[in-house]
Amino acid sequence: CARKVWGVVARVTHFGAFVDVGCECKAFLHASDVPARQLGQWAPDLFTRGQRVRAYVKEVDLNLGRLKITGFRPKSLPKVPF
């Protein structure tokens, strides 16, 4: 997929955050998919409700209406020159 999306954290769980990305499906960002995460940090240490986040679509499940998103930039996208 590798599509960039912006969203707002709607709910924080122990392992990640549900992010409103402007579609009818639920988008989940797991704490391990955050580049700035340090060892031992849990989702409540990383996310706050209302926080704006940039992510990339990792997987789409149309049957369940779910998106898995990641904070890591996919290698399939061109490199940023800076």
Side-chain angles (χ1 to χ4, degrees), residues 7 14 22 36 41 46 54 63 74 77:
H14 196 64
Q41 281 187 311
L46 300 169
R54 178 188 65 198
N63 294 330
L77 292 177

Side-chain angles (χ1 to χ4, degrees), residues 19-71:
V19 180
D20 180 5
V21 293
C23 68
E24 293 180 13
C25 8
K26 298 175 185 174
F28 186 73
L29 178 58
H30 196 274
S32 65
D33 285 330
V34 177
R37 179 179 179 255
Q38 296 176 358
L39 189 63
Q41 281 187 311
W42 293 93
D45 301 327
L46 300 169
F47 304 111
T48 56
R49 191 169 182 221
Q51 177 183 357
R52 190 164 186 234
V53 294
R54 178 188 65 198
Y56 299 90
V57 177
K58 187 175 181 180
E59 186 180 319
V60 178
D61 188 341
L62 294 175
N63 294 330
L64 296 175
R66 293 183 189 166
L67 290 176
K68 287 184 184 176
I69 55 178
T70 181

